[in-house]
Amino acid sequence: MKDTVSSKEDYIEDFRRNYVESYPPAWMITEVLSFGNLNYIYSNIASNKLMKCIAGHFGLKPQVFTSWLTVLANLRNMCCHHARIWNRDFMLTPAEPRKMSNAWIDTSKIDKKRIFYRLCIIRYFLASVSPNNNFNEKIVDLLALFPSIDIAAMGFFRSWQHECLWN
């Protein structure tokens, strides 16, 4: 993999010096993979059982998990290329989850082509892997720094902070 070969991370270089295996352990590889490559690998897993197991870890079905990874990879690329994201309609529409095992939002109030929906996806994943993260506070603080910005243009609705996902 190109990402591991070109990596200058200490743990990758240490692995190369001390082991004869061609590839480092999976945890090392996932640390240096691009988001796009991670999405590509997941999307090409041959075993439906394995895809269900991975998506199920996040309380999602594989179709939704793949869709959300694709949407976030697209968002990440837009951010890296300094594209405008705050008040735009995104071309990709994320798949809609039916049953959620973790807190989610009332999507009847939301425009899925706006940044708020993508922030909800990020919040969902973060809550799944790190329940005590401070993403909520960071979003609130960022919005408070720019009170003149029309958050409705980003897809936020009036009572968004009261949704279970954001508590």
Side-chain angles (χ1 to χ4, degrees):
M1 292 190 131
K2 179 174 75 171
D3 294 328
T4 57
V5 171
S6 62
S7 175
K8 301 293 184 220
E9 293 289 344
D10 290 341
Y11 55 88
I12 297 288
E13 289 183 347
D14 183 62
F15 177 85
R16 282 191 220 121
R17 279 191 304 273
N18 295 305
Y19 297 92
V20 295
E21 289 88 357
S22 299
Y23 294 106
W27 72 266
M28 286 186 186
I29 293 172
T30 57
E31 287 289 323
V32 297
L33 279 177
S34 70
F35 205 86
N37 281 340
L38 193 60
N39 182 25
Y40 179 79
I41 289 169
Y42 178 79
S43 299
N44 286 287
I45 292 174
S47 166
N48 284 339
K49 185 177 179 182
L50 180 57
M51 288 182 87
K52 285 180 182 179
C53 180
I54 294 168
H57 177 76
F58 296 96
L60 299 171
K61 301 285 186 203
Q63 176 198 11
V64 174
F65 188 75
T66 302
S67 170
W68 285 12
L69 285 180
T70 302
V71 162
L72 293 182
N74 176 261
L75 176 62
R76 179 244 173 236
N77 289 341
M78 293 177 83
C79 290
C80 287
H81 294 284
H82 307 287
R84 178 179 51 85
I85 61 167
W86 76 273
N87 70 340
R88 76 176 304 147
D89 279 337
F90 291 88
M91 296 197 44
L92 298 177
T93 303
E96 181 68 28
R98 287 191 179 83
K99 287 184 178 179
M100 306 292 289
S101 61
N102 301 323
W104 188 230
I105 51 175
D106 177 359
T107 57
S108 67
K109 304 175 187 175
I110 295 177
D111 182 349
K112 293 174 196 71
K113 292 194 173 242
R114 292 295 184 165
I115 189 64
F116 178 67
Y117 194 78
R118 280 142 179 81
L119 292 173
C120 289
I121 292 171
I122 293 168
R123 172 66 189 133
Y124 181 86
F125 280 133
L126 282 173
S128 298
V129 297
S130 178
N132 298 322
N133 70 78
N134 64 347
F135 186 69
N136 298 16
E137 292 82 21
K138 286 183 176 186
I139 294 294
V140 170
D141 292 347
L142 181 63
L143 295 175
L145 281 174
F146 301 96
S148 63
I149 299 293
D150 177 17
I151 65 170
M154 293 187 278
F156 286 81
F157 54 94
R158 184 168 297 175
S159 60
W160 70 273
Q161 289 182 61
H162 302 294
E163 290 280 333
C164 290
L165 177 68
W166 293 97
N167 287 319

Tab-separated table of all heavy atoms in Angstrom, residues 74-97:
chain	number	residue	atom	x	y	z
A	74	ASN	N	-16.039	12.846	0.670
A	74	ASN	CA	-16.288	13.977	-0.226
A	74	ASN	C	-16.150	15.305	0.526
A	74	ASN	O	-15.516	16.250	0.039
A	74	ASN	CB	-17.668	13.829	-0.855
A	74	ASN	CG	-18.043	14.994	-1.728
A	74	ASN	OD1	-18.762	15.893	-1.303
A	74	ASN	ND2	-17.553	14.996	-2.956
A	75	LEU	N	-16.735	15.379	1.709
A	75	LEU	CA	-16.650	16.591	2.524
A	75	LEU	C	-15.198	16.887	2.899
A	75	LEU	O	-14.742	18.031	2.809
A	75	LEU	CB	-17.496	16.441	3.789
A	75	LEU	CG	-17.432	17.596	4.784
A	75	LEU	CD1	-17.951	18.895	4.158
A	75	LEU	CD2	-18.221	17.246	6.042
A	76	ARG	N	-14.472	15.878	3.310
A	76	ARG	CA	-13.072	16.046	3.666
A	76	ARG	C	-12.278	16.595	2.487
A	76	ARG	O	-11.468	17.506	2.636
A	76	ARG	CB	-12.501	14.711	4.131
A	76	ARG	CG	-11.045	14.759	4.516
A	76	ARG	CD	-10.262	13.878	3.549
A	76	ARG	NE	-8.850	14.025	3.789
A	76	ARG	CZ	-8.003	14.392	2.834
A	76	ARG	NH1	-8.396	14.654	1.626
A	76	ARG	NH2	-6.723	14.498	3.095
A	77	ASN	N	-12.505	16.066	1.296
A	77	ASN	CA	-11.798	16.549	0.105
A	77	ASN	C	-12.152	17.999	-0.201
A	77	ASN	O	-11.283	18.792	-0.577
A	77	ASN	CB	-12.093	15.652	-1.099
A	77	ASN	CG	-11.439	14.301	-0.968
A	77	ASN	OD1	-10.505	14.120	-0.186
A	77	ASN	ND2	-11.938	13.331	-1.704
A	78	MET	N	-13.414	18.341	-0.027
A	78	MET	CA	-13.815	19.729	-0.264
A	78	MET	C	-13.118	20.673	0.710
A	78	MET	O	-12.648	21.745	0.320
A	78	MET	CB	-15.332	19.867	-0.157
A	78	MET	CG	-16.076	19.139	-1.265
A	78	MET	SD	-17.840	19.255	-1.072
A	78	MET	CE	-18.105	20.855	-1.810
A	79	CYS	N	-13.042	20.264	1.965
A	79	CYS	CA	-12.359	21.086	2.976
A	79	CYS	C	-10.876	21.235	2.636
A	79	CYS	O	-10.320	22.331	2.746
A	79	CYS	CB	-12.518	20.476	4.357
A	79	CYS	SG	-14.199	20.576	5.007
A	80	CYS	N	-10.247	20.149	2.222
A	80	CYS	CA	-8.817	20.190	1.892
A	80	CYS	C	-8.523	21.084	0.697
A	80	CYS	O	-7.421	21.620	0.577
A	80	CYS	CB	-8.297	18.784	1.620
A	80	CYS	SG	-8.155	17.825	3.129
A	81	HIS	N	-9.501	21.240	-0.172
A	81	HIS	CA	-9.317	22.082	-1.351
A	81	HIS	C	-9.967	23.453	-1.176
A	81	HIS	O	-10.174	24.178	-2.142
A	81	HIS	CB	-9.845	21.370	-2.599
A	81	HIS	CG	-9.051	20.147	-2.926
A	81	HIS	ND1	-7.810	20.199	-3.503
A	81	HIS	CD2	-9.310	18.835	-2.712
A	81	HIS	CE1	-7.338	18.976	-3.656
A	81	HIS	NE2	-8.233	18.121	-3.174
A	82	HIS	N	-10.287	23.777	0.072
A	82	HIS	CA	-10.820	25.093	0.436
A	82	HIS	C	-12.116	25.440	-0.304
A	82	HIS	O	-12.363	26.603	-0.624
A	82	HIS	CB	-9.775	26.191	0.219
A	82	HIS	CG	-8.485	25.898	0.904
A	82	HIS	ND1	-8.337	25.992	2.269
A	82	HIS	CD2	-7.281	25.468	0.425
A	82	HIS	CE1	-7.104	25.660	2.598
A	82	HIS	NE2	-6.443	25.329	1.501
A	83	ALA	N	-12.924	24.452	-0.561
A	83	ALA	CA	-14.218	24.695	-1.205
A	83	ALA	C	-15.184	25.298	-0.181
A	83	ALA	O	-15.055	25.074	1.021
A	83	ALA	CB	-14.785	23.397	-1.761
A	84	ARG	N	-16.122	26.027	-0.671
A	84	ARG	CA	-17.150	26.611	0.200
A	84	ARG	C	-18.094	25.488	0.624
A	84	ARG	O	-18.625	24.763	-0.198
A	84	ARG	CB	-17.918	27.689	-0.573
A	84	ARG	CG	-19.033	28.331	0.215
A	84	ARG	CD	-19.734	29.415	-0.599
A	84	ARG	NE	-20.138	28.977	-1.915
A	84	ARG	CZ	-21.278	28.337	-2.190
A	84	ARG	NH1	-22.121	28.043	-1.231
A	84	ARG	NH2	-21.570	27.985	-3.423
A	85	ILE	N	-18.311	25.371	1.930
A	85	ILE	CA	-19.202	24.311	2.415
A	85	ILE	C	-20.326	24.843	3.281
A	85	ILE	O	-21.289	24.149	3.540
A	85	ILE	CB	-18.439	23.219	3.202
A	85	ILE	CG1	-17.766	23.798	4.431
A	85	ILE	CG2	-17.442	22.507	2.304
A	85	ILE	CD1	-17.269	22.755	5.396
A	86	TRP	N	-20.241	26.067	3.741
A	86	TRP	CA	-21.176	26.522	4.772
A	86	TRP	C	-22.596	26.737	4.269
A	86	TRP	O	-23.545	26.529	4.996
A	86	TRP	CB	-20.645	27.751	5.506
A	86	TRP	CG	-20.751	29.034	4.744
A	86	TRP	CD1	-19.850	29.539	3.864
A	86	TRP	CD2	-21.823	29.972	4.807
A	86	TRP	NE1	-20.292	30.725	3.362
A	86	TRP	CE2	-21.507	31.028	3.927
A	86	TRP	CE3	-23.028	30.031	5.508
A	86	TRP	CZ2	-22.336	32.117	3.736
A	86	TRP	CZ3	-23.850	31.123	5.311
A	86	TRP	CH2	-23.503	32.148	4.436
A	87	ASN	N	-22.792	27.167	3.059
A	87	ASN	CA	-24.165	27.414	2.590
A	87	ASN	C	-24.394	26.859	1.192
A	87	ASN	O	-24.963	27.510	0.339
A	87	ASN	CB	-24.509	28.900	2.652
A	87	ASN	CG	-23.759	29.718	1.609
A	87	ASN	OD1	-22.739	29.287	1.079
A	87	ASN	ND2	-24.253	30.893	1.315
A	88	ARG	N	-23.983	25.662	0.979
A	88	ARG	CA	-24.129	25.072	-0.343
A	88	ARG	C	-25.007	23.831	-0.286
A	88	ARG	O	-25.197	23.235	0.759
A	88	ARG	CB	-22.769	24.720	-0.926
A	88	ARG	CG	-22.171	23.466	-0.305
A	88	ARG	CD	-20.859	23.011	-0.913
A	88	ARG	NE	-20.927	22.797	-2.318
A	88	ARG	CZ	-19.910	23.024	-3.156
A	88	ARG	NH1	-18.758	23.447	-2.700
A	88	ARG	NH2	-20.038	22.788	-4.437
A	89	ASP	N	-25.513	23.470	-1.433
A	89	ASP	CA	-26.177	22.173	-1.597
A	89	ASP	C	-25.113	21.192	-2.070
A	89	ASP	O	-24.470	21.418	-3.099
A	89	ASP	CB	-27.282	22.255	-2.657
A	89	ASP	CG	-28.568	22.837	-2.121
A	89	ASP	OD1	-28.792	22.778	-0.905
A	89	ASP	OD2	-29.356	23.368	-2.926
A	90	PHE	N	-24.912	20.133	-1.320
A	90	PHE	CA	-23.955	19.107	-1.705
A	90	PHE	C	-24.616	18.187	-2.725
A	90	PHE	O	-25.817	17.940	-2.667
A	90	PHE	CB	-23.511	18.299	-0.480
A	90	PHE	CG	-22.661	19.084	0.467
A	90	PHE	CD1	-23.249	19.835	1.474
A	90	PHE	CD2	-21.280	19.087	0.358
A	90	PHE	CE1	-22.476	20.570	2.352
A	90	PHE	CE2	-20.499	19.816	1.229
A	90	PHE	CZ	-21.096	20.562	2.231
A	91	MET	N	-23.826	17.687	-3.643
A	91	MET	CA	-24.373	16.837	-4.698
A	91	MET	C	-24.765	15.458	-4.169
A	91	MET	O	-25.762	14.896	-4.589
A	91	MET	CB	-23.379	16.705	-5.851
A	91	MET	CG	-23.140	18.054	-6.516
A	91	MET	SD	-22.396	18.027	-8.130
A	91	MET	CE	-23.206	16.753	-8.996
A	92	LEU	N	-23.966	14.903	-3.272
A	92	LEU	CA	-24.248	13.568	-2.744
A	92	LEU	C	-25.301	13.641	-1.644
A	92	LEU	O	-25.187	14.441	-0.725
A	92	LEU	CB	-22.980	12.944	-2.167
A	92	LEU	CG	-21.825	12.701	-3.134
A	92	LEU	CD1	-20.623	12.159	-2.377
A	92	LEU	CD2	-22.236	11.728	-4.228
A	93	THR	N	-26.308	12.793	-1.770
A	93	THR	CA	-27.324	12.700	-0.727
A	93	THR	C	-27.071	11.426	0.064
A	93	THR	O	-27.087	10.331	-0.494
A	93	THR	CB	-28.744	12.662	-1.341
A	93	THR	OG1	-28.931	13.824	-2.139
A	93	THR	CG2	-29.798	12.613	-0.247
A	94	PRO	N	-26.818	11.559	1.376
A	94	PRO	CA	-26.544	10.372	2.190
A	94	PRO	C	-27.756	9.449	2.279
A	94	PRO	O	-28.899	9.907	2.259
A	94	PRO	CB	-26.222	10.949	3.572
A	94	PRO	CG	-26.011	12.402	3.374
A	94	PRO	CD	-26.743	12.800	2.132
A	95	ALA	N	-27.481	8.162	2.381
A	95	ALA	CA	-28.559	7.194	2.606
A	95	ALA	C	-29.195	7.474	3.957
A	95	ALA	O	-28.531	7.898	4.897
A	95	ALA	CB	-28.013	5.769	2.555
A	96	GLU	N	-30.472	7.224	4.037
A	96	GLU	CA	-31.240	7.490	5.256
A	96	GLU	C	-31.339	6.219	6.092
A	96	GLU	O	-31.855	5.203	5.624
A	96	GLU	CB	-32.641	7.959	4.871
A	96	GLU	CG	-33.533	8.288	6.026
A	96	GLU	CD	-33.092	9.517	6.790
A	96	GLU	OE1	-32.467	10.405	6.183
A	96	GLU	OE2	-33.368	9.575	7.984
A	97	PRO	N	-30.826	6.251	7.328
A	97	PRO	CA	-30.966	5.063	8.180
A	97	PRO	C	-32.414	4.881	8.618
A	97	PRO	O	-33.131	5.854	8.839
A	97	PRO	CB	-30.066	5.389	9.379
A	97	PRO	CG	-29.965	6.867	9.395
A	97	PRO	CD	-30.125	7.333	7.979
